[in-house]
């Protein structure tokens, strides 16, 4: 596959072009304007970033407070509904025990219905046919004829062994001129003759409905009740839901655990009732809760930002005046020195400590010829570093396109786990390659870089080879040039194993030898002739792998000296071993390098 990329020369030209444009941009600007705009700009940017962070944190805090408030409201509603259900359980036991009485049963049940306002009616049914056998309504009369009885439905029949079953709220349908909002509690009970019947207790639900209706979170927040199956028990906007004008994702809410659930524009708080399949759900809208507070906060921050920017502008104006005055005098002295160097007499300039130091340096510049030697020596060091960076730039990974193509193929093939593994390996590879701009990294990190590279290549080459790492523990803390092992491994794969039919093996070793560290990469590939090895070391090989090995060799020699570098041992059809010798560089000696 053809590989493309910017050459180091074109990269340097691009850098020089950018630098030239920058110099041309600021050349005509006075230093006072540069300092003033830079100071004001940095202050404004810092304040803007700080304001954005503050607004973000403040918004999260408001949302958290809203979640806490919703949880408290849900807990209070849960306690109220739980008390209501406890009352229902007590009523169930009272009705069940009264139903077993003999001649006193009817009187007792009618009295209970009359004196307990939460009980609307009690009815008894034949379990098999559903025939209404008895009804106790207290002082309220029943309709002489009714076709619909919402209190007795097939879905509300308790199973054998089930204590009772609570229906969703509905309108009582068989009372004369009375249509209360009730829930029906169905239970199996035996009468005084031992016959099993279905008893239905209709309990007033109006107080709970009124309580739920009055719960508000913000201006438009509300509370409703669902069961574990996702059915709505009660909703203050139930008519809108029945009409299809409003929807609630009750399936998601029924499957979610207790606690807060953040949606796109609202926060749902869920609280399950113990010993019941009912769940309390509160809904609070994020925008209406935080918009007003957030708007006030933003206005305050904008005013503060403008005041600070104005103060920074005034301060930078005064500061630049103190700096640019002596600077202009120094510029005038330099221009005079250019015209009359032989007869120039320099009078030191007064000002800040930095300006006085600059003035003294200019006054002694002619006499300090020795600085030229230091400058030349610094330029030589800079040139060596530039050469090093240019060589390193040639060793950047060329396999990125193929790796991404392999990842895309694996994703299309459904092999997401392997794709994730390759993406993680690629991320580790480039993170270590960057190394915060450091040239030297611990050998342990270099081995990790090599492992990531091998992991990617092994997937790309469909497991055509295996690899082994053998590293002495004492060597891992020493430092080496980064991206040293990768070109060696790349050469072993492309030129050693790629043309093999049998499974290949790559062995990476790290060992100490006296005051040096030896890093080697061996393969059992096709090998090279002695002439090919010599061409690589002397820079006559034009292949990609040969250029990579040559660059590694030159980097090591530039950084550590001619005594260190690469050695290649190879036999055709036997394999190749490439070794790198470098000194033991410890962490404390890193800066000296």
């Amino acid at each position: 596959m053809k590989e493309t990329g910017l050459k180091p020369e074109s990269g340097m030209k691009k850098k020089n072009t950018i630098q030239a444009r920058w110099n041309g941009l600021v050349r005509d600007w006075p230093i006072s304007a540069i300092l003033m705009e830079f100071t004001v700009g940095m202050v404004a940017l810092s304040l803007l970033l700080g304001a954005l962070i503050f607004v973000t944190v403040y918004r999260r805090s408001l949302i958290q407070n809203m979640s806490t408030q919703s949880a408290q409201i849900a807990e209070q509603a849960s306690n109220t509904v739980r008390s209501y259900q406890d009352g229902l359980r007590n009523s169930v036991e009272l009705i069940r025990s009264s139903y077993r009485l003999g001649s006193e049963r009817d009187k007792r049940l009618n009295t209970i219905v009359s004196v307990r306002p939460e009980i609307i009616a009690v009815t008894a049914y034949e379990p098999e046919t559903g025939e209404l056998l008895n009804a106790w309504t207290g002082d309220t009369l029943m309709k002489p004829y009714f076709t619909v009885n919402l209190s007795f439905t097939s879905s509300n029949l308790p199973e054998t062994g089930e204590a009772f079953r609570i229906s969703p709220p509905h309108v009582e349908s068989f009372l004369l001129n009375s249509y209360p909002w009730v829930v029906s509690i169905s239970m199996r009970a035996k009468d005084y003759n031992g016959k099993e019947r279905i008893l239905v207790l209709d309990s007033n639900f109006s107080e709970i409905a009124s309580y739920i209706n009055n719960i508000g979170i913000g201006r438009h927040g509300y509370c409703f009740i669902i069961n574990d199956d996702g059915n709505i028990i009660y909703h203050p906007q139930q008519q809108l839901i029945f009409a299809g004008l409003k929807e609630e994702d009750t399936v998601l809410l029924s499957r979610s655990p207790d606690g807060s659930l953040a949606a796109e524009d609202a926060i749902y708080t869920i609280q399950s009732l113990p010993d019941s399949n009912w769940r309390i759900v509160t809904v609070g809208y994020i925008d209406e809760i935080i918009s007003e507070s957030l708007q006030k906060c933003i206005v305050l921050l904008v005013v503060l930002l403008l005041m600070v920017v104005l103060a920074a502008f005034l301060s930078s104006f005064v500061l630049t005046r103190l700096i640019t005055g002596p600077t202009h005098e120094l510029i005038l002295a330099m221009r005079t020195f250019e015209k009359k160097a032989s007869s120039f007499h320099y009078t030191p300039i007064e000002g800040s400590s930095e300006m006085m130091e600059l003035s003294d340096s200019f006054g002694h510049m002619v006499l300090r010829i020795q600085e030229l030697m230091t400058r030349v020596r610094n330029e030589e060091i800079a040139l060596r570093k530039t050469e090093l960076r240019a060589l390193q730039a040639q060793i950047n990974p060329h396999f990125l396109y193929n790796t991404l193509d392999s990842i895309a193929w694996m994703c299309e093939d459904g092999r997401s786990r392997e794709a994730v593994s390759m993406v993680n390996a690629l991320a580790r590879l480039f993170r270590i390659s960057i190394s915060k701009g450091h040239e030297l990294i611990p050998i342990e990190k270099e081995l990790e870089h090599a492992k990531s590279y091998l992991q990617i290549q092994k997937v790309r080459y469909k497991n055509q080879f295996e690899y082994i790492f053998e590293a002495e523990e004492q060597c891992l803390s020493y430092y080496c040039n980064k991206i040293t092992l990768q070109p060696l491994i790349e050469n072993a794969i492309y030129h050693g194993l790629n043309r093999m039919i049998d499974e290949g093996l790559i062995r990476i070793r790290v060992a100490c030898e006296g005051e040096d560290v030896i890093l080697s990469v061996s393969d059992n590939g096709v090998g090279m002739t002695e002439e090919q090895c010599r061409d690589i070391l002397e820079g006559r090989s034009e292949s990609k792998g040969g250029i990579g090995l040559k660059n590694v060799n030159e980097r090591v020699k530039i950084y550590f000296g001619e005594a260190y570098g690469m050695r290649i041992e190879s036999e055709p059809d036997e394999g190749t071993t490439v070794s790198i010798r470098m000194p033991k560089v410890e962490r404390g000696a890193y800066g000296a390098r």
Side-chain angles (χ1 to χ4, degrees), residues 136-379:
W136 299 271
T137 59
D139 299 330
T140 306
L141 299 178
M142 291 181 61
K143 294 178 180 179
Y145 176 78
F146 56 89
T147 58
V148 178
N149 183 4
L150 299 178
S151 298
F152 185 80
T153 61
S154 58
S155 62
N156 199 35
L157 290 179
E159 300 291 340
T160 302
E162 186 178 6
F164 57 86
R165 182 172 294 186
I166 303 177
S167 73
H170 61 88
V171 175
E172 186 68 277
S173 58
F174 57 78
L175 297 180
L176 183 64
N177 299 325
S178 180
Y179 303 94
W181 191 251
V182 298
V183 293
S184 297
I185 300 90
S186 302
M187 71 200 85
R188 293 180 180 270
K190 293 183 178 181
D191 60 12
Y192 58 88
N193 292 323
K195 294 182 179 181
E196 186 177 69
R197 305 299 185 193
I198 299 296
L199 287 182
V200 178
L201 166 65
D202 291 331
S203 178
N204 193 343
F205 194 73
S206 299
E207 290 187 8
I208 293 299
S210 177
Y211 175 78
I212 296 297
N213 290 338
N214 291 330
I215 293 178
I217 303 174
R219 296 180 181 177
H220 300 93
Y222 54 90
C223 174
F224 63 97
I225 305 174
I226 64 173
N227 61 17
D228 291 339
D229 296 327
N231 298 319
I232 294 179
I233 301 299
Y234 179 75
H235 197 294
Q237 303 174 19
Q238 199 143 330
Q239 292 181 349
L240 296 179
I241 293 177
F242 288 158
L245 301 178
K246 182 177 180 61
E247 293 183 354
E248 297 284 1
D249 193 353
T250 57
V251 175
L252 175 62
L253 296 174
S254 65
R255 295 175 180 175
S256 300
D258 287 1
S260 295
L261 176 64
E264 183 177 355
D265 58 347
I267 293 181
Y268 294 84
T269 303
I270 306 169
Q271 179 73 43
S272 297
L273 298 178
D275 301 326
S276 173
N277 67 343
W278 287 12
R279 310 188 79 186
I280 304 298
V281 181
T282 61
V283 183
Y285 292 100
I286 297 176
D287 291 340
E288 71 175 20
I289 295 296
I290 67 175
S291 58
E292 184 176 351
S293 300
L294 205 57
Q295 288 176 358
K296 293 180 180 179
C297 176
I298 291 176
V299 171
L300 181 61
L301 287 176
V302 169
V303 174
L304 180 62
L305 176 64
L306 294 176
M307 294 177 62
V308 173
V309 169
L310 179 60
F313 176 80
L314 295 177
S315 301
S316 61
F317 178 79
V318 175
L319 181 62
T320 52
R321 285 296 180 182
L322 296 176
I323 295 176
T324 55
T327 303
H328 289 156
E329 294 183 20
L330 183 59
I331 292 174
L332 180 61
M334 289 180 177
R335 291 175 178 173
T336 305
F337 174 73
E338 290 177 355
K339 297 177 181 179
K340 301 178 181 179
S342 58
S343 59
F344 177 74
H345 177 73
Y346 179 66
T347 302
I349 297 174
E350 298 294 332
S352 63
S353 59
E354 292 84 1
M355 184 56 63
M356 292 177 65
E357 184 176 350
L358 182 62
S359 175
D360 293 341
S361 297
F362 176 72
H364 295 87
M365 181 181 62
V366 179
L367 302 177
R368 299 174 61 184
I369 302 300
Q370 293 82 358
E371 291 184 1
L372 180 60
M373 298 176 61
T374 303
R375 187 177 306 168
V376 171
R377 188 159 51 249
N378 291 336
E379 290 176 353

